[in-house]
Amino acid sequence: MTHTGPSDKSTTATLTIDGTQVTVPVGATILEAAAELGIKIPTLCWLKKVSTTGACRICIVKVEGVERFMTACNTPIKDGISVITTSPELESARKKTLELMLVNHPLDCPICDAAGECDLQDTCFSLKVDKNSYGADLERLPIRYDWKLLESDPNRCILCEKCVKVCREVVGREAIEVVDRGDNTIIDTKTGQPLDCDFCGNCIGACPTGTLISRPFKFRGRPWTFEVTKSICAFCSSGCEIEYHTLHGRVERVSSSDDGYNKGNLCINGRFGYAACNSPDRITAPMIKDGSGKLSNVSWDQALGAAAGRLKDIATLSGGSAVAGIGSPRVTNEESYLFQKFLRGALGSNNIDSEARLGYLPSQVIQWEMLGYSGGTSGMDAIEKATAIVVIGADLKAESAGFAYRVIQAATKNDAKLVLAGSRVSSMNKFANAFLQCRPGTESWLAAGLCKAVFAEGLATAENGNRQDGLKSSLDALSFERITEISGISETELREAATLLSSGGRTAVIYGADVIRSIDSRNSVAGAVNLALLTGAVTETGAGIYPLDEKNNTQGMLDMGVCPEYLPGYHTYEHAAATFGSAWKSSVPAIPGKDLFQIVDAIESGQIKALYVMGSDPLHFMPNRTRITAALQKLELLVVQDLFLTDTAQLAHIVLPATTGAEKSGSFTAIDNRVQCFTAAAKPAGHSRSDADILTALHRLIAPNAIGGSQTTDALHHEITSLTGLYSEVCDHDGCRMGRIKNRTAAFVCRPLAPLAPLPATRPFALTIGPVLHHNGSMTTRSENNLLVEGEAYVELSCEDAASIGISAGEVLTVTSDTGSVSLKARPSEQLRQGALFVPAHFRGAAVNSLTGSASFPQHVSLSKA
């Protein structure tokens, strides 16, 4: 028998396995060749996504002409060899190997969390190892109970090393390693050191036994008692495939299959952030504020009736423009669509916006004008095949960890040249071929410098012809000396980076929050997009351009029209308002509405009297907290639809309890434009309802004759696809009818750059507020798991500045700006330049937006001992 395969003799080899010939690529292992034939060789230490170890020796096979048995997982094939995968001798040797493993393995299956999903158990069962001919005095090793979120029992360890390899090769850390030798060998931290860890839990997913377990999941139940539902992570913008494990309608664990798009790799938020769903702070019933100003529980009929009645009265008496809405990047595509449809179709208002106004939306308007496309231009898996990558103004793990994992794979497995450019050092620096550390706020000069260096080195691609002339002319007006003076990056560094970025001809460009929310964001973003054009990143042979956002569905929210400039699908009012109005059986205003900042202005002037806030907390994310508080208190009606009684919700007249992503069905659009659908896994908390159900009920009450009062999911998807033009009726995954169309027809346009000269600093320190690794938005500050790792806000400053102030780690500093002051614990760091500060944005109690007068960074502040 012959299994046909590739026929190029220079790149393939043919061998015989169990009597059947198979042709596979040169370099493949016997294990991989056997898999081509559907032959399963037992393994314990093999894991597809990491390098092989050959430690367990369960995968031994017989190679004709070789005296000893060979491990199939790490033995490369040779042309003409003959392999036997099963025989009495092999079965006996495998059983003896397992018996030796079990000599030192405690038989504590009744209390082991891995029981029922333990690879060691399964292998013993399949090989019929039901007794042990070996024996030894069992020496119990101490269990590591001191690790946050993880627990390690070395007595159960079979030293497969999968956890170590996943930590190093996938996550890019070295939190654990093989310690000691011989009988004393264990997996542990470096001798005498605490666990320095991302707490992603990917080592738990890789462990074939119960050695590494999740502390929050310990003793929550047996694996077979849980209902497992495939879903999509509702935290960052990577769009990871996950599995919710629920018991009695409550999420008790999150895992991910190695067969999924993200190869089973998650971050701390994806694996442990689910605790927010079970938070005791969840709103479980509708509330209305009484005459004394106290919010009290009411029925859904009362709450919906009051909200609908007051919204309709204000829209009728003062016009639809007296109403505004703030949407959410957390909710599904369908819910965002229904939200803007409700505001536009039922209330007659285009005053619709979201936190994307602070950076991501303006950046994508620029990218759309230059490329004819927003979001990622390729699936993020294309990054792994890149030969060169530049990351500008982004802390990858903090903003979207899935991108970090892809970049690590490209750098370590594909030898991609990695250039990191920004004001802060990150955990990705260990993989970088070059690090360009600019001064905070000079990202536009940095991007311009990289573009100028590409031209200077003669490396610009010819894809755009004379469309590059305007850019080149604008860069000719900037000297390298001036760029160096402002950014702190030398001409030599820029030229060397440009050469690296042109390596191999397949470049990826990733830009993040420090570019998108830079004080000169227009030139920063245009510079990043120009760099993608000059390096060919956005061509068919390139590896793509990827703007980053912290939240899971920001791209989908904008696609659905939650912004005042465009209708769903980025259609203008002039060309499409009548079409949408006809489809919705309503009258859609034909002029753009007010954006987030204009909404605040209009509330203060009395033009906007009612505000509907869905899944958002303006008091947490908007700059100048004091001003926003006063504006919200001035409203005649504030309706808040949320999971928690946020600071904004506490000011509301009506509060409507919503559900989490685990408790409803729908779809999210990842930042690389993958649309992924999911079904509900858990029960809603108390009497909470999905955002879609709430919006549909309100639409029915206010505009009963309009479409939207009652609609099936299929009908809604058809409506979205037919009106937006962004989707096809056939998706590339199971469940819904929406597949994103990647159809770029617009010509690419390089944009001239004129970076702004920095304004004189009014205070001595440059403050940036942004995301950190162990949290995502404010949602995970409701997760006891995440808080166990990072429990409070802090101010990070350079070690030099800490020494000059005379402050030590943990001591309290007061940070003062023109708009307010906050007191935070100091965290001296080697990652920042002198004069730069960083504060995490996640923690509600710290109220760090009291320091900000605008949405851009850096903000200039003063420091003093508290």
Side-chain angles (χ1 to χ4, degrees):
M1 294 176 64
T2 301
H3 179 81
T4 58
S7 58
D8 185 347
K9 296 296 184 181
S10 64
T11 58
T12 62
T14 299
L15 66 156
T16 302
I17 303 179
D18 293 342
T20 302
Q21 283 192 340
V22 60
T23 300
V24 294
V26 170
T29 63
I30 292 175
L31 186 71
E32 292 166 337
E36 287 289 314
L37 295 173
I39 296 172
K40 181 175 175 57
I41 300 173
T43 64
L44 278 174
C45 71
W46 180 81
L47 193 62
K48 183 178 181 180
K49 61 187 177 184
V50 297
S51 60
T52 57
T53 304
C56 73
R57 304 197 66 79
I58 295 299
C59 68
I60 54 172
V61 295
K62 175 65 177 175
V63 179
E64 189 176 296
V66 179
E67 184 176 349
R68 63 185 178 89
F69 293 146
M70 305 297 292
T71 47
C73 70
N74 62 357
T75 300
I77 55 93
K78 291 185 177 179
D79 194 63
I81 65 171
S82 180
V83 178
I84 297 173
T85 68
T86 181
S87 70
E89 286 182 321
L90 285 168
E91 295 302 306
S92 175
R94 289 169 181 161
K95 290 178 70 172
K96 294 297 183 184
T97 300
L98 269 179
E99 289 173 10
L100 286 169
M101 282 186 195
L102 294 173
V103 165
N104 292 310
H105 192 89
L107 296 179
D108 60 352
C109 302
I111 60 166
C112 178
D113 262 18
E117 57 183 10
C118 172
D119 292 346
L120 182 61
Q121 266 187 352
D122 294 342
T123 305
C124 286
F125 182 80
S126 64
L127 293 178
K128 300 180 173 58
V129 178
D130 53 3
K131 59 184 178 181
N132 201 338
S133 55
Y134 303 102
D137 294 332
L138 193 62
E139 182 181 349
R140 296 292 292 176
L141 299 170
I143 299 172
R144 295 298 301 261
Y145 293 113
D146 58 320
W147 294 356
K148 300 171 183 177
L149 300 182
L150 288 80
E151 185 176 299
S152 176
D153 185 348
N155 303 286
R156 297 171 179 166
C157 183
I158 62 172
L159 296 175
C160 68
E161 299 185 36
K162 287 197 285 189
C163 57
V164 175
K165 288 179 177 289
V166 165
C167 186
R168 294 190 178 205
E169 298 177 18
V170 173
V171 184
R173 294 301 300 268
E174 297 177 7
I176 51 179
E177 62 180 27
V178 180
V179 177
D180 290 329
R181 294 294 181 267
D183 291 344
N184 297 321
T185 305
I186 61 171
I187 306 297
D188 206 338
T189 59
K190 292 181 181 178
T191 305
Q193 295 187 13
L195 183 65
D196 181 15
C197 184
D198 283 4
F199 296 100
C200 60
N202 289 321
C203 56
I204 297 172
C207 184
T209 66
T211 303
L212 290 167
I213 63 171
S214 162
R215 285 181 61 187
F217 182 65
K218 187 177 181 180
F219 299 148
R220 302 301 298 181
R222 287 307 196 187
W224 58 84
T225 64
F226 294 91
E227 184 175 348
V228 180
T229 306
K230 292 183 178 181
S231 192
I232 305 300
C233 183
F235 287 107
C236 87
S237 58
S238 293
C240 293
E241 297 177 8
I242 62 172
E243 297 165 337
Y244 285 116
H245 298 244
T246 56
L247 186 63
H248 306 306
R250 174 187 164 102
V251 178
E252 299 290 2
R253 178 171 64 165
V254 170
S255 63
S256 183
S257 170
D258 280 7
D259 296 327
Y261 188 80
N262 47 295
K263 304 176 185 177
N265 304 320
L266 299 175
C267 68
I268 180 176
N269 304 303
R271 194 175 301 274
F272 294 110
Y274 68 86
C277 300
N278 304 325
S279 169
D281 296 334
R282 289 284 301 276
I283 306 171
T284 57
M287 292 183 281
I288 293 180
K289 187 168 286 184
D290 59 26
S292 65
K294 179 183 177 182
L295 285 167
S296 301
N297 291 354
V298 296
S299 69
W300 269 108
D301 285 346
Q302 288 175 291
L304 292 173
R310 296 183 68 180
L311 284 168
K312 187 173 183 178
D313 286 347
I314 291 172
T316 301
L317 294 173
S318 302
S321 61
V323 180
I326 298 177
S328 172
R330 291 293 193 202
V331 304
T332 67
N333 288 320
E334 295 79 7
E335 289 167 334
S336 282
Y337 180 83
L338 290 171
F339 179 70
Q340 62 80 35
K341 180 179 178 180
F342 170 65
L343 266 294
R344 289 181 167 117
L347 296 172
S349 175
N350 286 328
N351 301 328
I352 307 166
D353 213 350
S354 73
E355 64 187 75
R357 176 63 52 188
L358 304 187
Y360 188 78
L361 172 56
S363 77
Q364 292 317 284
V365 171
I366 294 170
Q367 184 178 307
W368 185 284
E369 290 169 353
M370 296 176 69
L371 300 181
Y373 204 71
S374 64
T377 56
S378 300
M380 63 191 293
D381 56 344
I383 294 171
E384 292 188 19
K385 301 179 181 66
T387 56
I389 302 169
V390 59
V391 180
I392 311 177
D395 182 343
L396 287 183
K397 285 190 177 179
E399 295 179 43
S400 198
F403 281 88
Y405 298 156
R406 303 286 183 172
V407 170
I408 291 169
Q409 291 299 296
T412 59
K413 300 293 175 64
N414 201 42
D415 196 27
K417 306 305 178 186
L418 175 60
V419 175
L420 298 182
S423 63
R424 290 179 285 142
V425 176
S426 76
S427 61
M428 297 297 291
N429 276 65
K430 64 190 292 185
F431 301 102
N433 298 92
F435 175 48
L436 310 180
Q437 188 170 21
C438 67
R439 297 187 178 98
T442 64
E443 290 78 12
S444 60
W445 289 86
L446 170 62
L450 283 169
C451 291
K452 184 176 179 68
V454 170
F455 278 119
E457 293 293 312
L459 298 171
T461 63
E463 294 289 335
N464 302 297
N466 58 18
R467 290 181 178 273
Q468 298 175 359
D469 291 347
L471 170 62
K472 191 173 186 307
S473 296
S474 70
L475 294 173
D476 287 342
L478 302 175
S479 68
F480 276 117
E481 290 77 14
R482 180 61 170 160
I483 292 170
T484 299
E485 177 190 351
I486 292 177
S487 70
I489 309 299
S490 71
E491 178 180 351
T492 300
E493 290 176 296
L494 291 167
R495 285 178 177 268
E496 289 175 350
T499 301
L500 288 171
L501 290 181
S502 300
S503 303
R506 187 170 172 81
T507 302
V509 175
I510 304 171
Y511 62 99
D514 287 356
V515 166
I516 288 171
R517 295 189 64 173
S518 167
I519 201 163
D520 186 14
S521 59
R522 289 190 64 82
N523 282 294
S524 298
V525 173
V529 180
N530 280 333
L531 191 60
L533 289 168
L534 297 180
T535 58
V538 296
T539 64
E540 291 299 320
T541 57
I545 184 173
Y546 306 88
L548 297 186
D549 190 81
E550 187 187 3
K551 303 291 178 64
N552 57 297
N553 202 34
T554 302
Q555 184 64 45
M557 175 187 68
L558 297 179
D559 291 346
M560 294 298 110
V562 181
C563 63
E565 294 96 332
Y566 304 106
L567 290 159
Y570 306 98
H571 293 287
T572 63
Y573 296 97
E574 179 184 1
H575 293 101
T579 301
F580 278 86
S582 175
W584 296 343
K585 295 184 178 178
S586 61
S587 177
V588 175
I591 56 173
K594 292 179 170 59
D595 67 27
L596 196 59
F597 299 105
Q598 292 168 339
I599 287 171
V600 174
D601 292 340
I603 292 173
E604 291 173 329
S605 67
Q607 297 175 54
I608 289 180
K609 305 177 185 300
L611 179 65
Y612 196 117
V613 179
M614 178 180 71
S616 188
D617 187 4
L619 272 181
H620 176 70
F621 74 79
M622 286 284 286
N624 199 336
R625 182 184 177 93
T626 302
R627 179 193 177 195
I628 302 304
T629 301
L632 295 179
Q633 290 173 330
K634 189 173 182 180
L635 287 163
E636 291 182 18
L637 175 64
L638 174 59
V639 179
V640 174
Q641 186 171 305
D642 213 318
L643 307 172
F644 303 101
L645 198 62
T646 62
D647 290 346
T648 300
Q650 291 178 43
L651 298 179
H653 302 95
I654 301 172
V655 177
L656 307 174
T659 55
T660 67
E663 299 159 0
K664 59 189 173 187
S665 301
S667 65
F668 294 144
T669 302
I671 214 72
D672 60 353
N673 285 300
R674 284 175 294 118
V675 181
Q676 301 176 99
C677 59
F678 55 90
T679 57
K683 292 180 180 178
H687 299 287
S688 62
R689 295 182 180 179
S690 72
D691 296 279
D693 286 344
I694 297 169
L695 292 167
T696 300
L698 286 171
H699 205 138
R700 185 185 301 119
L701 287 171
I702 293 176
N705 296 323
I707 294 177
S710 179
Q711 200 170 24
T712 66
T713 300
D714 277 352
L716 179 60
H717 285 161
H718 177 71
E719 180 180 319
I720 293 172
T721 57
S722 62
L723 287 176
T724 65
L726 291 177
Y727 308 93
S728 68
E729 290 281 3
V730 180
C731 62
D732 55 4
H733 55 280
D734 295 331
C736 75
R737 294 177 57 183
M738 287 172 30
R740 189 69 151 85
I741 299 174
K742 293 201 172 185
N743 183 21
R744 299 192 295 275
T745 56
F748 294 157
V749 179
C750 285
R751 177 174 288 188
L753 298 177
L756 303 177
L759 297 174
T762 56
R763 293 176 183 268
F765 291 93
L767 169 68
T768 297
I769 300 173
V772 296
L773 166 66
H774 296 127
H775 283 281
N776 182 265
S778 61
M779 177 78 168
T780 53
T781 63
R782 309 281 185 172
S783 164
E784 59 185 6
N785 298 339
N786 297 70
L787 290 174
L788 185 66
V789 176
E790 194 72 81
E792 61 183 353
Y794 54 86
V795 55
E796 188 176 0
L797 71 165
S798 72
C799 292
E800 294 86 352
D801 286 330
S804 65
I805 296 170
I807 198 83
S808 300
E811 293 185 298
V812 178
L813 283 170
T814 297
V815 187
T816 303
S817 72
D818 292 341
T819 58
S821 65
V822 298
S823 293
L824 303 167
K825 289 182 180 179
R827 185 173 292 186
S829 168
E830 301 287 349
Q831 298 184 338
L832 297 178
R833 280 177 170 267
Q834 276 189 267
L837 303 178
F838 177 80
V839 173
H842 314 281
F843 300 94
R844 294 162 285 109
V848 296
N849 59 331
S850 300
L851 299 170
T852 57
S854 68
S856 60
F857 294 105
Q859 305 265 327
H860 292 288
V861 299
S862 303
L863 281 183
S864 61
K865 288 186 177 181

